[in-house]
Coordinates of all heavy atoms in Angstrom, one line a residue:
M611 N 1.1 11.7 15.1 CA 1.9 10.4 15.2 C 2.5 10.2 13.8 O 1.9 10.2 12.8 CB 1.0 9.3 15.6 CG 1.7 8.0 15.7 SD 0.6 6.5 16.1 CE 0.2 6.9 17.8
S612 N 3.8 9.9 13.9 CA 4.5 9.6 12.6 C 4.1 8.2 12.1 O 3.6 7.4 12.8 CB 6.0 9.7 12.8 OG 6.5 8.6 13.5
Q613 N 4.4 8.0 10.8 CA 4.1 6.7 10.2 C 4.9 5.6 10.9 O 4.4 4.5 11.2 CB 4.5 6.7 8.8 CG 4.0 5.5 8.0 CD 4.2 5.6 6.5 OE1 5.0 6.5 6.1 NE2 3.5 4.9 5.8
V614 N 6.2 5.8 11.3 CA 7.0 4.9 12.0 C 6.5 4.6 13.3 O 6.4 3.4 13.7 CB 8.5 5.3 12.0 CG1 9.3 4.4 12.9 CG2 9.1 5.4 10.6
A615 N 6.1 5.6 14.1 CA 5.5 5.3 15.4 C 4.3 4.5 15.4 O 4.0 3.7 16.2 CB 5.2 6.7 16.1
G616 N 3.5 4.6 14.3 CA 2.3 3.8 14.2 C 2.5 2.3 13.9 O 1.6 1.5 14.1
L617 N 3.8 1.9 13.6 CA 4.1 0.5 13.4 C 4.5 -0.2 14.7 O 4.5 -1.4 14.7 CB 5.3 0.4 12.4 CG 5.1 1.0 11.1 CD1 6.4 0.9 10.3 CD2 4.0 0.4 10.3
G618 N 4.8 0.5 15.7 CA 5.2 -0.1 17.0 C 6.6 -0.8 16.8 O 7.5 -0.3 16.1
L619 N 6.7 -2.0 17.4 CA 7.9 -2.8 17.3 C 8.4 -3.1 15.9 O 9.6 -3.1 15.6 CB 7.7 -4.1 18.0 CG 7.7 -4.1 19.5 CD1 7.4 -5.5 20.1 CD2 9.0 -3.6 20.1
C620 N 7.4 -3.3 15.0 CA 7.7 -3.6 13.6 C 8.6 -2.5 12.9 O 9.4 -2.8 12.0 CB 6.5 -3.8 12.8 SG 5.4 -5.2 13.3
A621 N 8.5 -1.3 13.4 CA 9.3 -0.2 12.8 C 10.8 -0.5 13.0 O 11.6 0.0 12.2 CB 8.9 1.1 13.5
T622 N 11.2 -1.2 14.0 CA 12.6 -1.4 14.2 C 13.0 -2.9 14.2 O 14.1 -3.2 14.7 CB 13.1 -0.8 15.6 OG1 12.3 -1.4 16.6 CG2 12.9 0.7 15.6
C623 N 12.1 -3.7 13.7 CA 12.4 -5.1 13.6 C 13.0 -5.5 12.3 O 12.6 -5.0 11.2 CB 11.1 -5.9 13.8 SG 11.3 -7.7 13.7
Q624 N 14.0 -6.3 12.3 CA 14.7 -6.7 11.0 C 13.9 -7.6 10.1 O 14.2 -7.8 9.0 CB 16.1 -7.4 11.3 CG 16.0 -8.6 12.1 CD 17.4 -9.2 12.3 OE1 17.9 -10.0 11.5 NE2 17.9 -8.9 13.5
H625 N 12.7 -8.1 10.6 CA 11.8 -8.9 9.8 C 10.7 -8.1 9.2 O 9.9 -8.7 8.4 CB 11.3 -10.0 10.7 CG 12.3 -10.9 11.3 ND1 13.1 -11.7 10.6 CD2 12.7 -10.9 12.6 CE1 14.0 -12.3 11.4 NE2 13.8 -11.8 12.6
G626 N 10.6 -6.8 9.5 CA 9.5 -6.0 8.9 C 10.0 -5.4 7.6 O 11.1 -4.9 7.5
R627 N 9.1 -5.4 6.6 CA 9.3 -4.8 5.3 C 8.0 -4.1 4.9 O 6.9 -4.6 5.2 CB 9.6 -5.8 4.2 CG 10.9 -6.6 4.5 CD 12.1 -5.7 4.4 NE 13.3 -6.5 4.6 CZ 14.0 -6.5 5.8 NH1 13.5 -5.9 6.8 NH2 15.1 -7.2 5.9
T628 N 8.2 -2.9 4.3 CA 7.0 -2.3 3.8 C 6.8 -2.6 2.4 O 7.7 -2.8 1.6 CB 7.2 -0.7 3.9 OG1 8.3 -0.3 3.3 CG2 7.2 -0.3 5.4
V629 N 5.5 -2.8 2.0 CA 5.1 -3.0 0.6 C 4.0 -2.0 0.3 O 3.3 -1.6 1.1 CB 4.6 -4.5 0.4 CG1 5.7 -5.5 0.6 CG2 3.4 -4.8 1.4
T630 N 4.0 -1.6 -1.0 CA 3.1 -0.6 -1.4 C 2.2 -1.2 -2.5 O 2.7 -1.8 -3.5 CB 3.8 0.6 -2.0 OG1 4.7 1.1 -0.9 CG2 2.9 1.7 -2.4
S631 N 0.9 -1.1 -2.4 CA 0.0 -1.6 -3.4 C 0.0 -0.7 -4.6 O 0.5 0.4 -4.6 CB -1.4 -1.7 -2.8 OG -2.0 -0.4 -2.6
R632 N -0.7 -1.2 -5.7 CA -0.8 -0.4 -6.9 C -1.6 0.9 -6.7 O -1.4 1.9 -7.3 CB -1.5 -1.2 -8.0 CG -0.5 -2.1 -8.7 CD -1.2 -2.8 -9.9 NE -2.0 -3.9 -9.3 CZ -2.6 -4.8 -10.1 NH1 -2.6 -4.7 -11.3 NH2 -3.4 -5.7 -9.5
K633 N -2.5 0.8 -5.6 CA -3.3 2.0 -5.3 C -2.5 3.0 -4.4 O -3.1 4.0 -4.1 CB -4.6 1.6 -4.7 CG -5.5 0.8 -5.6 CD -6.8 0.4 -4.9 CE -7.7 -0.3 -5.9 NZ -8.9 -0.7 -5.2
G634 N -1.3 2.6 -4.0 CA -0.5 3.5 -3.2 C -0.6 3.3 -1.7 O 0.0 4.1 -1.0
S635 N -1.4 2.3 -1.3 CA -1.4 2.0 0.1 C -0.2 1.3 0.6 O 0.3 0.4 -0.2 CB -2.7 1.2 0.5 OG -3.8 1.9 0.1
T636 N 0.3 1.6 1.7 CA 1.5 0.9 2.2 C 1.2 0.0 3.4 O 0.4 0.4 4.3 CB 2.5 2.0 2.7 OG1 2.8 2.8 1.6 CG2 3.8 1.3 3.2
F637 N 1.7 -1.2 3.4 CA 1.5 -2.2 4.4 C 2.8 -2.7 5.0 O 3.8 -2.6 4.3 CB 0.8 -3.4 3.8 CG -0.6 -3.1 3.1 CD1 -0.6 -2.7 1.8 CD2 -1.7 -3.1 3.9 CE1 -1.8 -2.4 1.2 CE2 -2.9 -2.8 3.3 CZ -3.0 -2.4 2.0
L638 N 2.7 -3.1 6.2 CA 3.9 -3.7 6.8 C 3.8 -5.2 6.6 O 2.8 -5.9 7.0 CB 3.9 -3.4 8.3 CG 5.1 -3.8 9.1 CD1 5.3 -5.2 9.4 CD2 6.4 -3.1 8.6
F639 N 4.8 -5.8 6.0 CA 4.9 -7.3 5.7 C 5.9 -7.9 6.7 O 7.0 -7.4 6.8 CB 5.3 -7.5 4.3 CG 5.5 -9.0 4.0 CD1 4.4 -9.8 3.9 CD2 6.8 -9.5 3.7 CE1 4.6 -11.2 3.6 CE2 6.9 -10.8 3.5 CZ 5.9 -11.7 3.4
C640 N 5.5 -8.9 7.4 CA 6.4 -9.6 8.3 C 7.0 -10.8 7.6 O 6.3 -11.7 7.2 CB 5.6 -10.1 9.5 SG 6.6 -11.1 10.6
R641 N 8.3 -10.7 7.4 CA 9.0 -11.8 6.7 C 9.1 -13.1 7.5 O 9.4 -14.1 6.9 CB 10.4 -11.3 6.3 CG 10.3 -10.2 5.2 CD 11.6 -9.9 4.6 NE 12.1 -11.0 3.8 CZ 13.3 -11.2 3.5 NH1 14.2 -10.3 3.8 NH2 13.7 -12.3 2.8
R642 N 8.8 -13.0 8.8 CA 8.8 -14.3 9.6 C 7.6 -15.2 9.1 O 7.7 -16.4 9.2 CB 8.7 -14.0 11.0 CG 10.0 -13.7 11.7 CD 9.8 -13.8 13.2 NE 11.0 -13.5 14.0 CZ 11.9 -14.4 14.3 NH1 11.9 -15.6 13.8 NH2 13.0 -14.0 15.0
S643 N 6.6 -14.5 8.6 CA 5.4 -15.3 8.1 C 5.8 -16.3 7.0 O 5.1 -17.2 6.7 CB 4.3 -14.4 7.7 OG 4.7 -13.6 6.5
E644 N 6.9 -16.0 6.3 CA 7.3 -16.9 5.2 C 7.8 -18.2 5.7 O 7.7 -19.2 4.9 CB 8.4 -16.2 4.3 CG 8.0 -14.9 3.7 CD 9.1 -14.2 3.0 OE1 10.2 -14.1 3.6 OE2 8.9 -13.7 1.9
Q645 N 8.2 -18.3 6.9 CA 8.8 -19.5 7.5 C 8.0 -20.1 8.6 O 8.2 -21.2 9.0 CB 10.2 -19.3 7.9 CG 11.2 -18.7 6.9 CD 11.4 -19.7 5.8 OE1 11.5 -20.9 6.0 NE2 11.5 -19.2 4.5
D646 N 7.2 -19.2 9.2 CA 6.5 -19.6 10.5 C 5.1 -19.1 10.4 O 4.8 -17.9 10.4 CB 7.3 -19.0 11.6 CG 6.8 -19.5 13.0 OD1 5.6 -19.9 13.1 OD2 7.6 -19.5 13.9
T647 N 4.1 -20.0 10.4 CA 2.7 -19.6 10.3 C 2.1 -19.0 11.5 O 1.0 -18.5 11.5 CB 1.8 -20.9 9.9 OG1 2.0 -21.8 11.0 CG2 2.2 -21.5 8.6
R648 N 2.9 -18.9 12.6 CA 2.4 -18.2 13.8 C 2.4 -16.7 13.6 O 1.8 -16.0 14.3 CB 3.2 -18.6 15.0 CG 3.1 -20.0 15.4 CD 4.0 -20.3 16.6 NE 5.4 -20.2 16.1 CZ 6.5 -20.2 16.9 NH1 6.3 -20.5 18.2 NH2 7.7 -20.1 16.4
Y649 N 3.1 -16.3 12.6 CA 3.2 -14.8 12.3 C 2.4 -14.5 11.1 O 2.5 -15.1 10.1 CB 4.7 -14.4 12.1 CG 5.6 -14.7 13.3 CD1 6.2 -15.9 13.4 CD2 5.7 -13.7 14.3 CE1 7.0 -16.1 14.6 CE2 6.4 -13.9 15.4 CZ 7.1 -15.1 15.5 OH 7.9 -15.4 16.6
P650 N 1.5 -13.5 11.3 CA 0.7 -13.0 10.2 C 1.5 -12.3 9.1 O 2.5 -11.6 9.5 CB -0.3 -12.1 10.8 CG 0.3 -11.6 12.0 CD 1.3 -12.7 12.5
K651 N 1.1 -12.4 7.9 CA 1.8 -11.7 6.8 C 1.8 -10.2 7.1 O 2.7 -9.5 6.9 CB 1.2 -12.0 5.5 CG 1.5 -13.4 4.9 CD 0.9 -13.5 3.5 CE 1.2 -14.9 3.0 NZ 0.6 -15.1 1.6
Y652 N 0.6 -9.8 7.4 CA 0.3 -8.3 7.7 C -0.2 -8.1 9.1 O -1.4 -8.2 9.3 CB -0.6 -7.8 6.6 CG -0.2 -8.0 5.2 CD1 -0.7 -9.0 4.4 CD2 0.9 -7.2 4.7 CE1 -0.2 -9.2 3.2 CE2 1.3 -7.4 3.4 CZ 0.8 -8.4 2.7 OH 1.3 -8.7 1.4
P653 N 0.7 -8.0 10.0 CA 0.3 -7.9 11.5 C -0.5 -6.6 11.7 O -0.4 -5.6 11.1 CB 1.6 -7.9 12.2 CG 2.7 -7.5 11.2 CD 2.2 -7.8 9.9
A654 N -1.4 -6.8 12.8 CA -2.2 -5.7 13.2 C -1.2 -4.7 13.9 O -0.3 -5.1 14.7 CB -3.2 -6.1 14.2
L655 N -1.3 -3.4 13.5 CA -0.4 -2.4 14.0 C -1.2 -1.4 14.9 O -2.3 -1.2 14.7 CB 0.3 -1.7 12.9 CG 1.0 -2.6 11.9 CD1 1.5 -1.8 10.7 CD2 2.2 -3.3 12.6
P656 N -0.5 -0.8 15.8 CA 0.9 -1.0 16.2 C 1.2 -2.2 16.9 O 0.4 -2.6 17.8 CB 1.2 0.3 17.0 CG -0.1 0.6 17.7 CD -1.1 0.2 16.7
M657 N 2.3 -2.9 16.7 CA 2.7 -4.1 17.4 C 3.4 -3.7 18.7 O 4.4 -2.9 18.7 CB 3.7 -4.9 16.5 CG 4.2 -6.2 17.1 SD 2.9 -7.4 17.4 CE 2.4 -7.8 15.7
V658 N 2.8 -4.1 19.8 CA 3.3 -3.7 21.1 C 4.1 -4.9 21.8 O 4.9 -4.6 22.6 CB 2.2 -3.2 22.0 CG1 1.6 -2.0 21.5 CG2 1.2 -4.3 22.2
R659 N 3.9 -6.1 21.3 CA 4.6 -7.2 21.9 C 4.7 -8.3 20.9 O 3.7 -8.7 20.3 CB 3.9 -7.7 23.2 CG 4.6 -8.7 24.0 CD 3.9 -9.1 25.3 NE 2.5 -9.0 25.2 CZ 1.7 -8.4 26.1 NH1 2.2 -7.9 27.2 NH2 0.4 -8.4 25.9
C660 N 5.9 -8.9 20.6 CA 6.1 -9.9 19.6 C 7.3 -10.8 20.0 O 8.4 -10.2 20.2 CB 6.3 -9.3 18.3 SG 6.5 -10.5 17.0
P661 N 7.1 -12.1 20.1 CA 8.2 -13.0 20.5 C 9.2 -13.1 19.4 O 10.3 -13.5 19.6 CB 7.5 -14.3 20.7 CG 6.2 -14.3 20.0 CD 5.8 -12.8 20.0
G662 N 8.9 -12.7 18.2 CA 9.8 -12.8 17.1 C 10.6 -11.5 16.8 O 11.4 -11.5 15.9
Y663 N 10.4 -10.5 17.6 CA 11.0 -9.3 17.4 C 12.6 -9.4 17.5 O 13.1 -10.0 18.4 CB 10.6 -8.3 18.4 CG 11.3 -6.9 18.4 CD1 11.0 -6.0 17.4 CD2 12.3 -6.6 19.3 CE1 11.7 -4.8 17.3 CE2 13.0 -5.4 19.2 CZ 12.7 -4.5 18.2 OH 13.4 -3.3 18.2
E664 N 13.2 -8.9 16.5 CA 14.7 -8.8 16.5 C 15.1 -7.4 16.0 O 14.7 -7.1 14.9 CB 15.4 -9.8 15.7 CG 15.2 -11.2 16.2 CD 16.0 -12.2 15.4 OE1 15.5 -12.7 14.4 OE2 17.1 -12.5 15.8
E665 N 15.7 -6.6 16.8 CA 16.0 -5.3 16.5 C 17.0 -5.2 15.3 O 17.8 -6.1 15.2 CB 16.7 -4.6 17.7 CG 16.8 -3.1 17.5 CD 17.3 -2.4 18.7 OE1 17.7 -3.1 19.7 OE2 17.3 -1.2 18.7
T666 N 16.8 -4.2 14.5 CA 17.7 -4.1 13.3 C 19.1 -3.8 13.8 O 19.3 -3.2 14.9 CB 17.2 -2.9 12.4 OG1 17.1 -1.7 13.2 CG2 15.9 -3.2 11.7
R667 N 20.1 -4.1 13.0 CA 21.4 -3.8 13.4 C 21.6 -2.3 13.3 O 20.9 -1.6 12.6 CB 22.4 -4.5 12.5 CG 22.5 -6.0 12.7 CD 23.5 -6.6 11.8 NE 23.0 -6.7 10.5 CZ 22.3 -7.7 10.0 NH1 22.2 -8.8 10.7 NH2 21.9 -7.8 8.7
K668 N 22.5 -1.8 14.1 CA 22.8 -0.3 14.2 C 23.0 0.2 12.8 O 23.8 -0.3 12.0 CB 24.0 -0.1 15.1 CG 24.1 1.4 15.4 CD 25.2 1.6 16.5 CE 25.2 3.1 16.8 NZ 26.0 3.4 18.0
G669 N 22.3 1.3 12.5 CA 22.5 2.0 11.3 C 21.6 1.5 10.1 O 21.5 2.1 9.1
E670 N 21.0 0.3 10.4 CA 20.1 -0.2 9.4 C 18.7 0.3 9.6 O 18.3 0.5 10.7 CB 20.1 -1.8 9.6 CG 20.1 -2.6 8.3 CD 20.1 -4.0 8.7 OE1 19.3 -4.5 9.5 OE2 21.0 -4.7 8.1
R671 N 18.0 0.5 8.5 CA 16.6 0.9 8.6 C 15.7 -0.2 8.0 O 16.0 -0.6 6.9 CB 16.4 2.2 7.9 CG 17.2 3.4 8.5 CD 16.9 4.6 7.7 NE 15.5 5.0 7.9 CZ 15.0 6.0 7.2 NH1 15.6 6.7 6.3 NH2 13.7 6.3 7.4
P672 N 14.6 -0.5 8.7 CA 13.7 -1.6 8.2 C 13.1 -1.1 6.9 O 12.8 0.1 6.7 CB 12.7 -1.7 9.3 CG 13.0 -0.8 10.4 CD 14.2 0.0 10.0
G673 N 12.9 -2.0 6.0 CA 12.3 -1.7 4.8 C 13.1 -0.9 3.8 O 12.7 -0.4 2.8
R674 N 14.4 -0.8 4.1 CA 15.3 -0.1 3.2 C 16.4 -1.1 2.7 O 17.6 -0.9 3.1 CB 16.0 1.0 3.9 CG 15.0 2.0 4.5 CD 14.5 3.0 3.4 NE 13.7 4.0 4.0 CZ 13.0 4.8 3.3 NH1 13.0 4.8 2.0 NH2 12.2 5.7 3.9
N675 N 16.1 -2.1 2.0 CA 17.1 -3.0 1.5 C 16.8 -3.4 0.1 O 15.7 -3.1 -0.4 CB 17.3 -4.2 2.4 CG 16.1 -5.1 2.3 OD1 15.7 -5.5 1.3 ND2 15.6 -5.4 3.5
P676 N 17.7 -4.0 -0.7 CA 17.5 -4.3 -2.1 C 16.4 -5.3 -2.3 O 16.0 -5.5 -3.4 CB 18.9 -4.9 -2.5 CG 19.8 -4.7 -1.4 CD 19.1 -4.3 -0.2
F677 N 16.0 -6.0 -1.3 CA 14.9 -7.0 -1.4 C 13.5 -6.4 -1.3 O 12.6 -7.2 -1.5 CB 15.1 -8.2 -0.4 CG 16.5 -8.8 -0.6 CD1 17.5 -8.6 0.3 CD2 16.7 -9.6 -1.7 CE1 18.7 -9.2 0.2 CE2 18.0 -10.2 -1.8 CZ 19.0 -10.0 -0.9
D678 N 13.4 -5.2 -1.0 CA 12.1 -4.6 -0.9 C 11.5 -4.5 -2.3 O 12.2 -4.2 -3.2 CB 12.2 -3.1 -0.4 CG 12.1 -3.1 1.1 OD1 11.9 -4.1 1.7 OD2 12.2 -2.0 1.6
V679 N 10.3 -4.9 -2.4 CA 9.6 -4.8 -3.6 C 8.2 -4.2 -3.5 O 7.6 -4.2 -2.4 CB 9.4 -6.3 -4.2 CG1 10.7 -6.9 -4.6 CG2 8.7 -7.2 -3.2
T680 N 7.7 -3.7 -4.6 CA 6.3 -3.2 -4.6 C 5.5 -4.3 -5.2 O 5.8 -4.8 -6.3 CB 6.2 -1.9 -5.4 OG1 7.0 -1.0 -4.8 CG2 4.8 -1.5 -5.5
V681 N 4.5 -4.8 -4.5 CA 3.7 -6.0 -5.0 C 2.3 -5.5 -5.1 O 1.8 -4.7 -4.4 CB 3.8 -7.2 -4.1 CG1 5.2 -7.7 -4.1 CG2 3.3 -6.9 -2.7
P682 N 1.6 -6.1 -6.1 CA 0.2 -5.7 -6.3 C -0.6 -6.4 -5.2 O -0.5 -7.6 -5.0 CB -0.2 -6.2 -7.7 CG 0.8 -7.3 -7.9 CD 2.1 -6.9 -7.2
L683 N -1.4 -5.7 -4.5 CA -2.3 -6.2 -3.5 C -3.7 -6.0 -3.9 O -4.1 -4.9 -4.3 CB -2.1 -5.6 -2.1 CG -0.7 -5.8 -1.5 CD1 -0.6 -4.9 -0.2 CD2 -0.4 -7.2 -1.2
L684 N -4.5 -7.0 -3.9 CA -5.9 -6.9 -4.4 C -6.8 -6.5 -3.3 O -6.7 -6.6 -2.2 CB -6.4 -8.1 -5.0 CG -5.5 -8.6 -6.2 CD1 -6.0 -9.9 -6.8 CD2 -5.5 -7.5 -7.3
Ligands
SF4_766 S1 8.6 -10.5 13.8 FE1 7.1 -9.4 15.0 S2 7.9 -7.3 15.4 FE2 9.1 -8.3 13.7 S3 8.1 -7.6 11.8 FE3 7.2 -9.6 12.4 S4 5.3 -9.1 13.6 FE4 6.7 -7.2 13.5

């Protein structure tokens, strides 16, 4: 199973961003959680159903934008 397939819906959602810890672990961060507490910061994956899902625009890849950052996770 590829890493993207393991994310489920989050892999193609415009609100999903990947973050990498100092130890090199990668997590899926849901940006909806910044505005809406119903969404967990780090959703359980793979996500199979989500009311907040919005598909990325054609040609766009989730987690590939200038706002992606690597943050330390403890
Ligand atoms: S809104 Fe839902 S599908 Fe989109 S990144 Fe957040 S948890 Fe994943």
Side-chain angles (χ1 to χ4, degrees):
M611 178 183 290
S612 74
Q613 190 174 19
V614 171
L617 300 178
L619 286 176
C620 297
T622 57
C623 179
Q624 62 181 272
H625 303 291
R627 299 290 180 264
T628 54
V629 293
T630 303
S631 72
R632 278 185 283 189
K633 293 181 178 178
S635 298
T636 301
F637 301 88
L638 188 290
F639 175 70
C640 175
R641 293 192 64 199
R642 276 198 183 273
S643 67
E644 297 174 317
Q645 305 293 323
D646 189 332
T647 57
R648 292 176 298 172
Y649 296 92
K651 286 183 180 180
Y652 302 102
L655 302 176
M657 181 62 69
V658 295
R659 188 174 32 224
C660 179
Y663 174 78
E664 290 186 276
E665 189 173 9
T666 55
R667 287 183 286 267
K668 190 170 184 169
E670 218 177 53
R671 296 182 64 189
R674 303 277 185 194
N675 70 51
F677 300 106
D678 268 1
V679 294
T680 298
V681 297
L683 300 174
L684 302 177

